Amino acid sequence: LYHITCRGHGGAVLPAFCAVAGEDGVSLGTAVREQHGRDESVHSCRPPDVVVWPRSVEEVSALAKICHRHRLPIVPFGTGTGLEGGVGAVKGGVCFSLRKMDRVLDLHQEDFDVTVEPGVTRKALNSYLRDTGLWFPVDPGADASLCGMAATSASGTNAVRYGTMRENVLNLEVVLADGTVLHTAGEGRRPRKTSAGYNLTNLFVGSEGTLGVLTKATLRLYGIPELMVSTVCSFPSVQAAVDSTVQVLQAGIPIARIEFLDDVMMDACNRFSGLSYAVSPTLFLEFHGSEKSLEEQVTITEDITRGNGGSDFSWAQDAETRGQLWKARHDAWYAALALRPGCKAYATDVCVPISLLPHIIVETKKDLTENRLTGPIAGHVGDGNFHCLMVLDPDDPDEVQRVHQFTERLARRALSLNGTCTGEHGVGLGKRALLQEEVGPLAIDVMRRLKATLDPENLMNPGKIL
Amino acid sequence: LYHITCRGHGGAVLPAFCAVAGEDGVSLGTAVREQHGRDESVHSCRPPDVVVWPRSVEEVSALAKICHRHRLPIVPFGTGTGLEGGVGAVKGGVCFSLRKMDRVLDLHQEDFDVTVEPGVTRKALNSYLRDTGLWFPVDPGADASLCGMAATSASGTNAVRYGTMRENVLNLEVVLADGTVLHTAGEGRRPRKTSAGYNLTNLFVGSEGTLGVLTKATLRLYGIPELMVSTVCSFPSVQAAVDSTVQVLQAGIPIARIEFLDDVMMDACNRFSGLSYAVSPTLFLEFHGSEKSLEEQVTITEDITRGNGGSDFSWAQDAETRGQLWKARHDAWYAALALRPGCKAYATDVCVPISLLPHIIVETKKDLTENRLTGPIAGHVGDGNFHCLMVLDPDDPDEVQRVHQFTERLARRALSLNGTCTGEHGVGLGKRALLQEEVGPLAIDVMRRLKATLDPENLMNPGKIL
């Protein structure tokens, strides 16, 4: 047996199947860097004492029991692509890297469901499904693990049509803090709907590893649409772009994606990708369906956008041209970074009722200018959700401070408009104080009591959410 | 002050705004009969000690505090249209009838959301919305209160397209067992998506009054479709009808309703409503959309159903003809009752993965015949959810016993096929033992711990779910 001693926590001994730093070709340094890839500019790196790579739920359970006995914090780790510091080990302890559990299990094509282990990413699942005519549409941008996406209640560009993780997880296998194995909807169950008892599945979706380690997720799948058409349209104002969005939704157009980029973002994308889009508020739209239905969707949408002063559509149907058209949107992160070479980026995340989007975006752009900050805006406008891609020099403490204050003001602006401080990135480390303002002391108290019920020793990803 | 003494619970005194039995034109007898209207054939009537009609959340809170102080059970009551005995006062106590809180609040047309008090029914809301171009599509059949629908996680015929209550509640105001007032997503918040902390909203959706009294619900609304087309199609077998359903979903047809009626049900409907449909497995379908998209949806669906041996479509577009076409489906409950005049009906409720529907329906029909039971079948086949409308003589103890045993066998058959013992009616009194089999001892333990955390004295609708 190969034993590992966990420093700083009374010398707990972990069994052989816990590959540790340096073993198995993955160094602790790599794992830690992985954990802090995208958000290190905002949330400082806090490495765990040890990293383990369990290969099965039995191993996760056995490890959790050891951690429970020795009061070691457990930090679940999927792909480390989260944006609010959710995988930082603020109290040390054991990082459970779940990448070795990467099997796609139990695909049921006729029932439109599949079960995956926590190391399976969304792109890996969609590759696996390629010949089935099915796909999993939730797309947060990064190639995140699906259980990580469930843990953070992720969504992204397709949510306006297909929903977020909340609507698309049917069942979860979870290792609780004491190492017991829970099936939130009962083992192996996969009805498309149920009203059997408390909705434990949706208690764990969005719990960010603070209530248990997700070791399996059963997901809804969808038929791949016969055709997809993408269009781009620029507008004279933010208001005109948002009005178009509301009218498209009111007209019942089953739009698959409707993404907003502001003038600063469009300028950055033009420069980065050698494009020549108008430098003005712009919508990127995607329609899914059959040929006739697409024709009609596009016609009605074009009428609506023209009525709001929108430009003629640039549009594309084949995969390659669609790819080119969406290049600006897909490269937004890198285009933003390229605005200031050598800097880091941090994506904010707020969501408000759609009609209040023009107001908050105009106010926010003013705030950015006044505070000399670089923050091009991109948003899932159909949901009222948008991000400022803050580009900052992490070695400039004054700028770091200004970005921090700006993101807090932005979140409070969203709260003052009946919105949320996080539409899809989660609370993690960064938004705990804002969460308290958002839901109020009683809801926080209820959340704390739920947490204490399921994890009385506060071992599961401590210091996050609450 | 007008005070009420609650018998049998230490003589607790309730304040003046608690209208009691006999006052205000509503007798206790009426309230109790209301409570036990549809399910008295299965769940025996257990009246509360007193009924109160609060008019505001402040009154609900004040009443709950009195109940908490005197350890009086609280039984929330909406319209009494639930089917699993959820409003029976098995331990006596105070029935909170919420019908006097019937205001529609805070309609936001551009944001597609509205907030309602607990006395607002789905039909009342849709009447209120009539001139706005919006509607709330979740339709369990009965004109239930929307907060009651949230409490039982209701769904119905439109769920295949628009989801269940789980997907359509954005926020809830809840009076907890100690009388405190919780806003599950924060007071007044209504973003279309959020990942801010634990999903308290979906913990209360489906909690059947056992965690708190719902006093407000913020709901998603949808644009009324430009056109609706309904069709009816009969099939040579259950398998052919279900295969058609799966293929329609695989083809990405955004079908709004796809309802299955078996041969027995069709025969009952023909007799009751003077119709002449084929007495065979039948699908009732409804398509929502624009003219062109409907043409296409209908054409593709007709190709699919013909390929499975389905009859030509009877179809209808104007509201009146659609009403006639759907009459058979809408009158199913009364048509079933008319099979045996003087009898009562009880609707079972299971849900399985769609591909397993033919198997379970064929087995279930055999079971009904073998046990000399009348139970025509109607189902929301797009979700894998179906009901047997059991018609029984409540004065025949042998038949009551056979129905009881049949419904248990049916639920266990669903469980053996990875399904659920309740797709939409909830657990209530009737399915507590089955819930344990469905989710297993650890999930039951977790549910019990959550209940104990929020309601340590077990005052909220005691004896239900767990």
Side-chain angles (χ1 to χ4, degrees):
Chain A
L1 275 171
Y2 181 89
H3 284 151
I4 293 134
T5 304
C6 191
R7 294 178 305 281
H9 282 94
V13 172
L14 300 165
F17 52 76
C18 318
V20 75
E23 210 213 6
D24 208 56
V26 184
S27 76
L28 183 62
T30 310
V32 170
R33 271 200 302 281
E34 248 179 33
Q35 286 190 21
H36 300 274
R38 290 182 75 174
D39 59 357
E40 66 187 85
S41 57
V42 170
H43 308 295
S44 60
C45 175
R46 298 287 292 272
D49 295 302
V50 65
V51 181
V52 297
W53 286 270
R55 289 160 304 203
S56 67
V57 60
E58 290 78 18
E59 291 188 356
V60 174
S61 168
L63 282 164
K65 282 177 183 165
I66 293 168
C67 292
H68 189 247
R69 199 177 315 131
H70 296 277
R71 303 290 181 266
L72 295 174
I74 292 173
V75 184
F77 184 86
T79 50
T81 45
L83 293 164
E84 288 297 343
V87 296
V90 291
K91 297 191 174 187
V94 183
C95 170
F96 282 46
S97 174
L98 300 158
R99 66 159 66 164
K100 293 204 172 172
M101 295 171 66
D102 62 353
R103 288 176 304 165
V104 176
L105 306 166
D106 299 327
L107 169 63
H108 298 101
Q109 283 184 239
E110 287 205 321
D111 299 324
F112 305 86
D113 69 59
V114 70
T115 298
V116 295
E117 289 190 330
V120 178
T121 67
R122 65 176 186 88
K123 286 186 182 171
L125 175 61
N126 281 326
S127 293
Y128 183 93
L129 294 173
R130 196 183 293 130
D131 300 325
T132 64
L134 300 174
W135 71 317
F136 184 72
V138 182
D139 173 5
D143 188 21
S145 69
L146 293 154
C147 284
M149 286 164 62
T152 53
S153 196
S155 46
T157 51
N158 283 312
V160 65
R161 169 139 175 189
Y162 300 97
T164 73
M165 290 305 282
R166 288 183 200 272
E167 289 83 29
N168 287 294
V169 179
L170 296 173
N171 201 346
L172 290 169
E173 181 184 78
V174 187
V175 174
L176 298 179
D178 61 3
T180 52
V181 182
L182 173 72
H183 294 89
T184 53
E187 189 166 1
R189 312 233 164 268
R190 50 189 184 85
R192 289 181 78 72
K193 68 181 194 187
T194 172
S195 54
Y198 301 153
N199 188 343
L200 298 183
T201 304
N202 261 310
L203 181 60
F204 285 90
V205 171
S207 65
E208 302 188 30
T210 63
L211 301 178
V213 183
L214 309 188
T215 51
K216 242 180 231 167
T218 302
L219 306 169
R220 270 176 190 260
L221 300 174
Y222 295 80
I224 294 176
E226 191 184 324
L227 285 173
M228 300 187 183
V229 173
S230 298
T231 59
V232 178
C233 182
S234 58
F235 292 87
S237 66
V238 178
Q239 183 77 49
V242 173
D243 284 350
S244 303
T245 305
V246 169
Q247 289 161 25
V248 164
L249 295 174
Q250 274 171 342
I253 309 279
I255 191 125
R257 307 188 201 225
I258 184 159
E259 295 285 301
F260 171 83
L261 272 66
D262 80 344
D263 54 338
V264 181
M265 190 79 252
M266 290 307 295
D267 189 36
C269 290
N270 280 343
R271 287 163 197 256
F272 181 75
S273 307
L275 302 166
S276 52
Y277 285 117
V279 177
S280 58
T282 301
L283 290 181
F284 285 70
L285 308 99
E286 191 167 280
F287 305 89
H288 294 175
S290 62
E291 195 167 339
K292 270 195 192 163
S293 119
L294 286 191
E295 257 177 53
E296 192 180 46
Q297 290 183 45
V298 170
T299 308
I300 297 171
T301 305
E302 216 162 2
D303 283 352
I304 289 171
T305 52
R306 267 209 213 99
N308 289 296
S311 68
D312 284 343
F313 278 179
S314 313
W315 71 290
Q317 186 164 326
D318 65 288
E320 200 185 336
T321 323
R322 276 192 295 117
Q324 281 171 5
L325 202 73
W326 275 87
K327 192 168 167 47
R329 175 64 187 94
H330 287 146
D331 287 344
W333 178 267
Y334 302 100
L337 270 173
L339 288 173
R340 292 176 61 190
C343 285
K344 300 279 183 183
Y346 166 71
T348 64
D349 171 35
V350 297
C351 186
V352 296
I354 304 175
S355 67
L356 303 168
L357 264 177
H359 175 73
I360 192 172
I361 289 178
V362 168
E363 290 285 301
T364 300
K365 287 173 73 68
K366 211 186 298 171
D367 188 345
L368 287 164
T369 308
E370 282 170 11
N371 290 283
R372 297 165 288 118
L373 292 169
T374 310
I377 290 174
H380 314 309
V381 73
D383 300 312
N385 182 207
F386 71 95
H387 315 296
C388 299
L389 304 184
M390 304 306 300
V391 185
L392 67 156
D393 176 358
D395 298 323
D396 177 347
D398 177 65
E399 187 175 12
V400 170
Q401 176 71 0
R402 276 183 291 127
V403 166
H404 179 72
Q405 287 168 343
F406 165 81
T407 56
E408 288 210 338
R409 276 195 305 278
L410 172 55
R412 293 205 170 98
R413 204 173 289 132
L415 294 182
S416 74
L417 299 172
N418 298 326
T420 173
C421 71
T422 173
E424 56 181 13
H425 294 173
V427 174
L429 278 176
K431 291 188 168 166
R432 286 170 301 162
L434 290 163
L435 176 67
Q436 301 205 10
E437 293 175 37
E438 176 164 337
V439 299
L442 180 57
I444 289 287
D445 179 55
V446 168
M447 289 184 195
R448 288 216 171 102
R449 281 147 64 188
L450 298 177
K451 162 82 171 168
T453 299
L454 291 171
D455 178 21
E457 309 284 348
N458 191 23
L459 299 178
M460 293 305 315
N461 208 7
K464 312 298 163 56
I465 299 185
L466 294 170
Chain B
L1 276 171
Y2 180 87
H3 283 152
I4 293 135
T5 304
C6 192
R7 293 178 306 280
H9 283 92
V13 173
L14 300 166
F17 52 79
C18 318
V20 75
E23 209 213 5
D24 209 54
V26 185
S27 76
L28 182 61
T30 309
V32 170
R33 269 201 301 282
E34 246 179 33
Q35 284 189 25
H36 299 274
R38 291 182 74 174
D39 59 356
E40 66 187 82
S41 58
V42 170
H43 306 296
S44 58
C45 174
R46 299 286 293 270
D49 295 304
V50 66
V51 182
V52 297
W53 286 269
R55 288 160 304 203
S56 67
V57 60
E58 291 77 18
E59 290 189 356
V60 174
S61 168
L63 282 164
K65 282 177 182 164
I66 293 168
C67 292
H68 188 248
R69 198 178 315 131
H70 295 278
R71 303 292 181 263
L72 295 174
I74 292 173
V75 184
F77 184 85
T79 50
T81 45
L83 293 163
E84 288 297 343
V87 294
V90 292
K91 298 191 173 186
V94 182
C95 170
F96 282 47
S97 174
L98 301 158
R99 66 159 66 163
K100 295 205 173 173
M101 294 170 68
D102 62 354
R103 287 177 305 165
V104 176
L105 307 166
D106 300 327
L107 169 63
H108 298 102
Q109 283 184 239
E110 286 206 322
D111 299 324
F112 305 87
D113 67 59
V114 70
T115 298
V116 294
E117 290 190 330
V120 178
T121 66
R122 65 174 186 89
K123 286 186 182 172
L125 175 61
N126 281 326
S127 293
Y128 183 92
L129 295 172
R130 197 184 291 131
D131 300 326
T132 64
L134 300 174
W135 71 316
F136 184 72
V138 183
D139 173 5
D143 187 22
S145 69
L146 292 153
C147 284
M149 287 165 61
T152 53
S153 194
S155 46
T157 52
N158 283 313
V160 64
R161 170 137 175 192
Y162 300 96
T164 72
M165 291 305 283
R166 288 184 199 271
E167 290 83 29
N168 287 296
V169 179
L170 297 172
N171 201 347
L172 289 170
E173 181 184 77
V174 187
V175 174
L176 299 178
D178 62 3
T180 50
V181 182
L182 173 73
H183 294 90
T184 54
E187 188 166 1
R189 311 234 165 268
R190 52 190 182 84
R192 290 182 77 72
K193 67 181 193 187
T194 172
S195 54
Y198 302 151
N199 187 343
L200 299 183
T201 304
N202 261 308
L203 182 59
F204 284 90
V205 171
S207 65
E208 303 188 29
T210 64
L211 300 179
V213 183
L214 309 188
T215 50
K216 242 180 232 165
T218 302
L219 305 169
R220 271 177 190 260
L221 299 174
Y222 295 80
I224 294 176
E226 190 184 325
L227 284 174
M228 301 187 184
V229 172
S230 298
T231 59
V232 177
C233 183
S234 58
F235 292 88
S237 67
V238 178
Q239 183 76 50
V242 172
D243 284 351
S244 303
T245 305
V246 169
Q247 289 160 26
V248 164
L249 296 174
Q250 275 172 341
I253 309 279
I255 190 124
R257 307 187 199 226
I258 184 160
E259 296 284 301
F260 171 82
L261 272 65
D262 79 345
D263 53 341
V264 181
M265 190 79 252
M266 290 306 296
D267 190 35
C269 290
N270 280 344
R271 288 163 197 256
F272 181 75
S273 307
L275 303 166
S276 52
Y277 285 118
V279 177
S280 57
T282 301
L283 290 180
F284 285 70
L285 306 99
E286 192 166 280
F287 306 88
H288 294 174
S290 62
E291 193 166 340
K292 270 195 192 163
S293 119
L294 286 191
E295 257 176 52
E296 193 181 45
Q297 290 183 45
V298 171
T299 308
I300 297 171
T301 304
E302 217 163 2
D303 282 351
I304 289 171
T305 52
R306 268 210 211 97
N308 288 297
S311 68
D312 286 343
F313 279 180
S314 314
W315 71 290
Q317 186 165 325
D318 65 289
E320 198 185 336
T321 324
R322 276 194 294 117
Q324 280 170 5
L325 202 72
W326 275 86
K327 191 167 169 46
R329 175 65 188 93
H330 286 145
D331 287 345
W333 177 268
Y334 302 100
L337 269 173
L339 288 173
R340 293 176 60 190
C343 284
K344 299 280 184 182
Y346 166 71
T348 64
D349 171 36
V350 297
C351 185
V352 296
I354 305 175
S355 68
L356 302 169
L357 264 178
H359 175 72
I360 192 172
I361 289 178
V362 168
E363 289 285 302
T364 300
K365 288 174 71 69
K366 212 187 296 173
D367 189 345
L368 287 164
T369 308
E370 282 170 11
N371 289 282
R372 296 165 289 120
L373 292 168
T374 309
I377 291 175
H380 314 309
V381 72
D383 300 313
N385 182 208
F386 70 96
H387 314 297
C388 300
L389 304 184
M390 304 306 299
V391 185
L392 68 156
D393 176 358
D395 298 323
D396 177 348
D398 176 66
E399 188 177 9
V400 170
Q401 176 71 358
R402 276 183 291 128
V403 167
H404 180 72
Q405 288 167 344
F406 164 81
T407 55
E408 289 211 339
R409 277 194 306 277
L410 172 56
R412 294 207 169 96
R413 204 173 288 132
L415 294 182
S416 74
L417 299 172
N418 298 325
T420 174
C421 71
T422 173
E424 57 180 12
H425 293 174
V427 174
L429 279 176
K431 291 188 167 167
R432 286 171 300 162
L434 290 162
L435 176 66
Q436 301 205 9
E437 294 174 35
E438 177 164 337
V439 299
L442 180 57
I444 290 288
D445 179 55
V446 168
M447 289 183 196
R448 287 216 172 103
R449 281 148 64 189
L450 298 177
K451 162 81 172 167
T453 298
L454 291 171
D455 178 22
E457 308 284 347
N458 191 24
L459 298 178
M460 293 305 316
N461 209 5
K464 312 299 162 57
I465 298 186
L466 295 170

